[in-house]
Amino acid sequence: MMTLYSGITCPFSQRCRFVLYEKGMDFEIKDVDVFNKPEDLAVMNPYNQVPVLVERDLILHESNIINEYIDERFPHPQLMPGDPVMRGRGRLVLFRMEKELFLHVLTLENPEVSNKEQTRASEAIAQGLTMLAPAFAKNKHILGEDFSMIDVALAPLLWRLDHYDIKLGKSAAPLLKYAERLFQRDSFIEALTPAEKAMRR
Ligand SMILES: N[C@@H](CCC(=O)N[C@@H](CS)C(=O)NCC(=O)O)C(=O)O
């Protein structure tokens, strides 16, 4: 059985919980308080961070790497595109998402950065999301019609917009509608921790 070491408010851990519940197989989630980390976390992950996935003698870290492993190990429903061209495009979108959005999420998750840096990070995210928004007037999901791993990767940020005090203008309406669709998935709801549920009322 797979065990996920997961931060109770960690957006990267939420990605992995979301995929585990999408797949619907047996797994165990061990809640980790990132401000009081268990000693063995540093043994499992040289960066001493969650999420970490353990399955027998395999230990993985990095949310997108963990999620691709789960997707290949349990192929139904398949979350990375089956077609190599679309899969390549999907990986590129994941890469850009990390560089252009989640780099700033890391700033917002870091309690040691100044208010000025936090504001700059929120503004950069707002700008990035606003650029993405018009595509959702046409497309149901990031890669088009089908829900995929790329939607999984973005969802925890969309869930935290109020929590991070990220303000979006009217032109982001299609993105917010898309977000509401994601939030209605059973797997998304099941994967939320009580602390994450409290982020949105
Ligand atoms: N790039 C990593 C980011 C993981 C990450 O930043 N985890 C944070 C919690 S959200 C953490 O463990 N922080 C504790 C620390 O860095 O000491 C991923 O995608 O898994």
Side-chain angles (χ1 to χ4, degrees):
M1 187 164 63
M2 292 181 172
T3 301
L4 181 76
Y5 291 78
S6 156
I8 54 173
T9 60
C10 169
F12 303 95
S13 301
Q14 189 185 355
R15 287 175 170 171
C16 301
R17 283 184 259 118
F18 192 1
V19 166
L20 287 170
Y21 279 99
E22 272 289 323
K23 298 287 178 177
M25 65 339 167
D26 274 351
F27 55 84
E28 181 190 16
I29 292 184
K30 288 202 174 165
D31 287 337
V32 171
D33 175 356
V34 288
F35 300 105
N36 189 13
K37 291 180 278 193
E39 277 172 19
D40 57 347
L41 191 63
V43 179
M44 294 188 288
N45 177 352
Y47 302 102
N48 200 9
Q49 290 186 325
V50 283
V52 168
L53 184 84
V54 180
E55 191 186 35
R56 296 190 203 94
D57 57 352
L58 175 70
I59 303 176
L60 293 176
H61 56 88
E62 278 302 311
S63 53
N64 288 333
I65 292 176
I66 292 173
N67 277 353
E68 281 210 39
Y69 173 72
I70 300 171
D71 197 42
E72 286 173 11
R73 179 92 171 70
F74 297 95
H76 303 289
Q78 190 175 20
L79 296 175
M80 283 304 279
D83 166 50
V85 172
M86 281 309 283
R87 197 156 61 240
R89 286 198 181 126
R91 288 195 174 118
L92 204 55
V93 179
L94 283 176
F95 175 79
R96 290 193 60 186
M97 211 183 261
E98 295 311 276
K99 271 182 98 72
E100 291 168 31
L101 293 173
F102 281 84
L103 180 75
H104 304 297
V105 169
L106 287 173
T107 304
L108 296 176
E109 286 291 327
N110 182 350
E112 283 163 24
V113 305
S114 67
N115 284 348
K116 203 171 159 192
E117 282 173 278
Q118 299 251 346
T119 306
R120 225 182 282 141
S122 300
E123 286 171 0
I125 292 173
Q127 204 179 348
L129 290 177
T130 305
M131 278 167 66
L132 274 183
F136 294 102
K138 272 202 328 252
N139 293 339
K140 224 171 137 199
H141 295 99
I142 296 182
L143 293 183
E145 186 58 24
D146 297 333
F147 173 75
S148 75
M149 194 65 94
I150 330 303
D151 302 296
V152 167
L154 184 60
L157 168 58
L158 298 176
W159 183 255
R160 285 165 176 72
L161 290 179
D162 291 343
H163 176 70
Y164 290 152
D165 201 22
I166 293 171
K167 310 254 186 299
L168 298 177
K170 278 196 184 129
S171 63
L175 175 83
L176 298 180
K177 268 197 195 151
Y178 152 77
E180 289 303 326
R181 284 201 298 279
L182 293 183
F183 302 160
Q184 280 165 19
R185 292 184 84 84
D186 289 345
S187 55
F188 182 88
I189 297 165
E190 285 167 319
L192 288 171
T193 64
E196 284 166 345
K197 280 190 185 136
M199 288 173 184
R200 281 174 76 97
R201 301 267 166 212

